[in-house]
Amino acid sequence: MTEKKGKKGAREGGDRLAEYRGKRDPHRTPEPVPEERALPHGDDDTFVVQEHHASSLHWDLRFERDGVLVSWAVPKGLPWSPKTNHLAVHTEDHPLEYATFEGDIPQDEYGGGTVTIWDRGTYETEKWSEREVKVVVHGSRVSGRYVLFRTRGKNWMIHRMDPPADPDAEPLPEALRPMRPVRGSRMPRNQDEWGFEFAWGGRRLLAYVEGGRTRFTDGRGREVGGPAGLGSRLGGRLGARPAVLDGELAVLDGRETYMVFDVPHLDGRPLLDVPYRDRRTRLDGLELSGPSWQTAPWYPGDGEAVRETAAGQGLPGVVAKRLDSPYEPGEESSAWRLIPVSRRR
């Protein structure tokens, strides 16, 4: 049953936006900074989740309550399954106008970084106390029953009370051993059935990205540390989209770069049985391009031209991949072929 409550007492506790105003200069930030002590009033049923690329990526969860947006910063986003609780840090109340805010806060200001609306909608209150909040949210990306419960100080936890939002979604695997090519000397026949990539001559590295965080395993499936700064930046680029990326850490133009060429898992879906052609299309759709990572190019059907280019760039070879090939973890498969540039037909 939805909780009924009075509002008068809650509003008489002083200026609920004093802390918010005290942290912001309206002349230096595009955020709404209302001057009036009087609080606007809505229907106490608005919620918004904002993706905030600040010093560390997090998601801001806000509920309209008694004329303000009561707010929590959730470092890993809302949990999609009841099996996992996520930290939620209670922050200062925000003005109602913040429910529509998107923009760039200057880096030298409080909360400096980019804010975008990740989801918004309405909610119903089942319980609201100083230590526990139970709500039912209705958004376009997240819906269901959630409870926030206080643990210590400003630290709370958020728990999904419903079954998983997507019952078919699967968590990221703990570790995958990458698929490996066989070594060959000849280009495959029927090249229109194959895609071709450069062999970068780097170190194999799989990235497991979830909730804006990244961990890495090596070519044998062992957990390893990634290059400084790569994990947080790559995690920030994918945001709330969980993924396993396969690639090589190579030195290009004197700089270490993670060249991503496959995506065995994306958005809660294993893609091991999805053909290489379709996996590459999904990978390209992620538009991964940054200062220390790139989506590796691929070329359907023209292996000789790719090998000539590889030779001209001093790369060790070409990897030919059947367009219909699945991803076979830990296997050395003839569906992938490493062809050195030093050998000719």
Short mmCIF file of all heavy atoms in Angstrom, two decimals, residues 200-236:
data_model
loop_
_atom_site.label_atom_id
_atom_site.label_comp_id
_atom_site.label_asym_id
_atom_site.label_seq_id
_atom_site.Cartn_x
_atom_site.Cartn_y
_atom_site.Cartn_z
N TRP A 200 48.28 -7.37 -34.21
CA TRP A 200 48.95 -6.20 -33.64
C TRP A 200 50.26 -6.54 -32.94
O TRP A 200 51.05 -5.64 -32.62
CB TRP A 200 48.00 -5.49 -32.67
CG TRP A 200 46.75 -5.04 -33.35
CD1 TRP A 200 45.53 -5.66 -33.34
CD2 TRP A 200 46.60 -3.90 -34.19
NE1 TRP A 200 44.62 -4.97 -34.11
CE2 TRP A 200 45.25 -3.88 -34.64
CE3 TRP A 200 47.46 -2.88 -34.61
CZ2 TRP A 200 44.77 -2.89 -35.48
CZ3 TRP A 200 46.97 -1.89 -35.44
CH2 TRP A 200 45.63 -1.90 -35.87
N GLY A 201 50.48 -7.82 -32.66
CA GLY A 201 51.72 -8.21 -32.01
C GLY A 201 51.80 -7.79 -30.55
O GLY A 201 52.90 -7.68 -30.00
N GLY A 202 50.64 -7.59 -29.93
CA GLY A 202 50.62 -7.14 -28.55
C GLY A 202 50.26 -8.24 -27.57
O GLY A 202 50.26 -9.43 -27.91
N ARG A 203 49.94 -7.83 -26.35
CA ARG A 203 49.60 -8.76 -25.27
C ARG A 203 48.09 -8.92 -25.19
O ARG A 203 47.36 -7.93 -25.12
CB ARG A 203 50.15 -8.23 -23.95
CG ARG A 203 49.78 -9.05 -22.73
CD ARG A 203 50.65 -8.66 -21.54
NE ARG A 203 50.47 -7.28 -21.13
CZ ARG A 203 49.67 -6.90 -20.12
NH1 ARG A 203 48.98 -7.81 -19.44
NH2 ARG A 203 49.58 -5.64 -19.78
N ARG A 204 47.61 -10.16 -25.22
CA ARG A 204 46.18 -10.43 -25.18
C ARG A 204 45.61 -9.99 -23.83
O ARG A 204 46.16 -10.27 -22.76
CB ARG A 204 45.92 -11.91 -25.41
CG ARG A 204 44.50 -12.28 -25.80
CD ARG A 204 44.18 -11.83 -27.22
NE ARG A 204 42.87 -12.28 -27.65
CZ ARG A 204 42.65 -13.45 -28.28
NH1 ARG A 204 43.66 -14.28 -28.51
NH2 ARG A 204 41.44 -13.77 -28.67
N LEU A 205 44.48 -9.30 -23.87
CA LEU A 205 43.88 -8.77 -22.65
C LEU A 205 42.37 -8.75 -22.82
O LEU A 205 41.85 -8.20 -23.80
CB LEU A 205 44.40 -7.35 -22.40
CG LEU A 205 44.40 -6.82 -20.98
CD1 LEU A 205 45.31 -7.65 -20.08
CD2 LEU A 205 44.85 -5.36 -20.96
N LEU A 206 41.65 -9.37 -21.88
CA LEU A 206 40.20 -9.31 -21.86
C LEU A 206 39.77 -8.34 -20.77
O LEU A 206 40.30 -8.38 -19.65
CB LEU A 206 39.57 -10.68 -21.62
CG LEU A 206 39.27 -11.52 -22.88
CD1 LEU A 206 40.58 -11.97 -23.52
CD2 LEU A 206 38.40 -12.72 -22.56
N ALA A 207 38.83 -7.46 -21.09
CA ALA A 207 38.34 -6.45 -20.15
C ALA A 207 36.90 -6.79 -19.76
O ALA A 207 36.06 -7.03 -20.63
CB ALA A 207 38.41 -5.07 -20.79
N TYR A 208 36.62 -6.80 -18.46
CA TYR A 208 35.29 -7.07 -17.92
C TYR A 208 34.77 -5.76 -17.33
O TYR A 208 35.25 -5.30 -16.29
CB TYR A 208 35.35 -8.16 -16.86
CG TYR A 208 36.01 -9.44 -17.32
CD1 TYR A 208 37.39 -9.52 -17.50
CD2 TYR A 208 35.26 -10.58 -17.58
CE1 TYR A 208 38.01 -10.68 -17.93
CE2 TYR A 208 35.86 -11.76 -18.01
CZ TYR A 208 37.23 -11.80 -18.19
OH TYR A 208 37.84 -12.96 -18.61
N VAL A 209 33.80 -5.17 -17.99
CA VAL A 209 33.35 -3.82 -17.64
C VAL A 209 31.94 -3.91 -17.08
O VAL A 209 31.04 -4.47 -17.71
CB VAL A 209 33.38 -2.90 -18.87
CG1 VAL A 209 33.03 -1.47 -18.45
CG2 VAL A 209 34.73 -2.94 -19.56
N GLU A 210 31.76 -3.34 -15.89
CA GLU A 210 30.44 -3.36 -15.26
C GLU A 210 30.34 -2.20 -14.27
O GLU A 210 31.25 -1.99 -13.47
CB GLU A 210 30.20 -4.68 -14.54
CG GLU A 210 28.79 -4.85 -13.99
CD GLU A 210 28.55 -6.25 -13.47
OE1 GLU A 210 29.54 -6.93 -13.09
OE2 GLU A 210 27.39 -6.68 -13.42
N GLY A 211 29.22 -1.46 -14.35
CA GLY A 211 29.03 -0.36 -13.43
C GLY A 211 30.12 0.68 -13.48
O GLY A 211 30.45 1.31 -12.47
N GLY A 212 30.69 0.88 -14.66
CA GLY A 212 31.74 1.87 -14.81
C GLY A 212 33.11 1.44 -14.32
O GLY A 212 34.06 2.21 -14.37
N ARG A 213 33.24 0.18 -13.86
CA ARG A 213 34.52 -0.35 -13.39
C ARG A 213 35.00 -1.43 -14.34
O ARG A 213 34.20 -2.06 -15.02
CB ARG A 213 34.39 -0.92 -11.99
CG ARG A 213 34.54 0.11 -10.86
CD ARG A 213 33.41 1.08 -10.82
NE ARG A 213 33.56 2.03 -9.71
CZ ARG A 213 32.83 3.12 -9.60
NH1 ARG A 213 31.92 3.43 -10.51
NH2 ARG A 213 32.99 3.93 -8.57
N THR A 214 36.31 -1.67 -14.35
CA THR A 214 36.89 -2.64 -15.27
C THR A 214 37.93 -3.48 -14.56
O THR A 214 38.73 -2.98 -13.77
CB THR A 214 37.58 -1.92 -16.46
OG1 THR A 214 36.68 -0.99 -17.04
CG2 THR A 214 38.02 -2.92 -17.52
N ARG A 215 37.91 -4.79 -14.83
CA ARG A 215 38.99 -5.67 -14.41
C ARG A 215 39.47 -6.42 -15.66
O ARG A 215 38.78 -6.45 -16.68
CB ARG A 215 38.52 -6.66 -13.33
CG ARG A 215 37.36 -7.54 -13.75
CD ARG A 215 36.87 -8.41 -12.59
NE ARG A 215 35.71 -9.20 -12.98
CZ ARG A 215 35.77 -10.38 -13.58
NH1 ARG A 215 36.96 -10.93 -13.85
NH2 ARG A 215 34.67 -11.03 -13.92
N PHE A 216 40.66 -7.03 -15.56
CA PHE A 216 41.29 -7.61 -16.74
C PHE A 216 41.77 -9.04 -16.45
O PHE A 216 42.14 -9.37 -15.32
CB PHE A 216 42.50 -6.76 -17.16
CG PHE A 216 42.17 -5.36 -17.54
CD1 PHE A 216 42.27 -4.32 -16.62
CD2 PHE A 216 41.73 -5.06 -18.83
CE1 PHE A 216 41.96 -3.02 -16.97
CE2 PHE A 216 41.43 -3.76 -19.19
CZ PHE A 216 41.54 -2.73 -18.25
N THR A 217 41.75 -9.87 -17.50
CA THR A 217 42.42 -11.16 -17.46
C THR A 217 43.34 -11.27 -18.67
O THR A 217 43.15 -10.60 -19.69
CB THR A 217 41.43 -12.34 -17.45
OG1 THR A 217 40.62 -12.30 -18.64
CG2 THR A 217 40.53 -12.31 -16.23
N ASP A 218 44.34 -12.16 -18.55
CA ASP A 218 45.31 -12.29 -19.63
C ASP A 218 44.93 -13.44 -20.57
O ASP A 218 43.82 -13.97 -20.51
CB ASP A 218 46.72 -12.49 -19.06
CG ASP A 218 46.87 -13.79 -18.26
OD1 ASP A 218 45.96 -14.65 -18.30
OD2 ASP A 218 47.90 -13.95 -17.58
N GLY A 219 45.86 -13.82 -21.44
CA GLY A 219 45.59 -14.85 -22.44
C GLY A 219 45.33 -16.23 -21.87
O GLY A 219 44.86 -17.11 -22.57
N ARG A 220 45.63 -16.43 -20.57
CA ARG A 220 45.37 -17.71 -19.93
C ARG A 220 44.20 -17.62 -18.95
O ARG A 220 43.97 -18.54 -18.18
CB ARG A 220 46.64 -18.18 -19.20
CG ARG A 220 47.80 -18.45 -20.16
CD ARG A 220 49.08 -18.80 -19.43
NE ARG A 220 48.95 -20.03 -18.64
CZ ARG A 220 49.93 -20.52 -17.88
NH1 ARG A 220 51.09 -19.88 -17.81
NH2 ARG A 220 49.75 -21.63 -17.21
N GLY A 221 43.48 -16.50 -18.98
CA GLY A 221 42.32 -16.35 -18.11
C GLY A 221 42.66 -15.94 -16.70
O GLY A 221 41.79 -15.96 -15.81
N ARG A 222 43.92 -15.54 -16.43
CA ARG A 222 44.33 -15.14 -15.09
C ARG A 222 44.11 -13.64 -14.89
O ARG A 222 44.37 -12.84 -15.79
CB ARG A 222 45.81 -15.47 -14.87
CG ARG A 222 46.16 -16.94 -15.05
CD ARG A 222 47.66 -17.15 -15.02
NE ARG A 222 48.33 -16.38 -16.07
CZ ARG A 222 49.62 -16.45 -16.32
NH1 ARG A 222 50.39 -17.26 -15.59
NH2 ARG A 222 50.17 -15.72 -17.28
N GLU A 223 43.62 -13.27 -13.72
CA GLU A 223 43.37 -11.86 -13.44
C GLU A 223 44.69 -11.11 -13.37
O GLU A 223 45.65 -11.54 -12.72
CB GLU A 223 42.59 -11.70 -12.14
CG GLU A 223 42.10 -10.28 -11.92
CD GLU A 223 40.79 -10.20 -11.17
OE1 GLU A 223 40.04 -11.20 -11.17
OE2 GLU A 223 40.53 -9.13 -10.59
N VAL A 224 44.73 -9.96 -14.06
CA VAL A 224 45.94 -9.14 -14.11
C VAL A 224 45.54 -7.68 -13.98
O VAL A 224 44.38 -7.31 -14.17
CB VAL A 224 46.72 -9.35 -15.43
CG1 VAL A 224 47.27 -10.76 -15.54
CG2 VAL A 224 45.84 -9.02 -16.64
N GLY A 225 46.51 -6.86 -13.66
CA GLY A 225 46.26 -5.43 -13.64
C GLY A 225 46.33 -4.85 -15.04
O GLY A 225 47.12 -5.31 -15.87
N GLY A 226 45.51 -3.86 -15.29
CA GLY A 226 45.54 -3.20 -16.59
C GLY A 226 46.44 -1.98 -16.56
O GLY A 226 46.92 -1.57 -15.50
N PRO A 227 46.71 -1.40 -17.70
CA PRO A 227 47.51 -0.18 -17.76
C PRO A 227 46.88 0.93 -16.93
O PRO A 227 45.65 1.02 -16.81
CB PRO A 227 47.51 0.17 -19.26
CG PRO A 227 47.21 -1.11 -19.95
CD PRO A 227 46.29 -1.85 -19.03
N ALA A 228 47.69 1.78 -16.36
CA ALA A 228 47.21 2.86 -15.51
C ALA A 228 46.20 3.73 -16.26
O ALA A 228 46.47 4.20 -17.36
CB ALA A 228 48.39 3.71 -15.03
N GLY A 229 45.04 3.91 -15.64
CA GLY A 229 44.02 4.78 -16.20
C GLY A 229 43.10 4.14 -17.21
O GLY A 229 42.02 4.67 -17.51
N LEU A 230 43.48 2.98 -17.78
CA LEU A 230 42.65 2.37 -18.82
C LEU A 230 41.31 1.89 -18.26
O LEU A 230 40.26 2.13 -18.84
CB LEU A 230 43.39 1.22 -19.49
CG LEU A 230 42.57 0.39 -20.50
CD1 LEU A 230 42.10 1.26 -21.64
CD2 LEU A 230 43.38 -0.79 -21.01
N GLY A 231 41.35 1.21 -17.10
CA GLY A 231 40.14 0.61 -16.57
C GLY A 231 39.06 1.63 -16.27
O GLY A 231 37.90 1.47 -16.65
N SER A 232 39.41 2.72 -15.57
CA SER A 232 38.41 3.71 -15.20
C SER A 232 37.88 4.46 -16.41
O SER A 232 36.69 4.74 -16.50
CB SER A 232 39.01 4.70 -14.18
OG SER A 232 40.16 5.34 -14.72
N ARG A 233 38.75 4.76 -17.35
CA ARG A 233 38.29 5.49 -18.54
C ARG A 233 37.42 4.62 -19.44
O ARG A 233 36.40 5.08 -19.96
CB ARG A 233 39.49 6.01 -19.32
CG ARG A 233 40.28 7.09 -18.59
CD ARG A 233 41.47 7.55 -19.40
NE ARG A 233 42.22 8.60 -18.73
CZ ARG A 233 43.30 9.18 -19.24
NH1 ARG A 233 43.74 8.80 -20.44
NH2 ARG A 233 43.93 10.12 -18.58
N LEU A 234 37.83 3.37 -19.62
CA LEU A 234 37.03 2.47 -20.45
C LEU A 234 35.69 2.19 -19.77
O LEU A 234 34.64 2.15 -20.42
CB LEU A 234 37.80 1.18 -20.68
CG LEU A 234 37.24 0.17 -21.68
CD1 LEU A 234 37.09 0.80 -23.06
CD2 LEU A 234 38.13 -1.06 -21.76
N GLY A 235 35.72 1.99 -18.44
CA GLY A 235 34.48 1.81 -17.71
C GLY A 235 33.56 3.00 -17.82
O GLY A 235 32.35 2.86 -17.99
N GLY A 236 34.14 4.19 -17.75
CA GLY A 236 33.33 5.39 -17.90
C GLY A 236 32.71 5.51 -19.28
O GLY A 236 31.59 6.02 -19.42
#
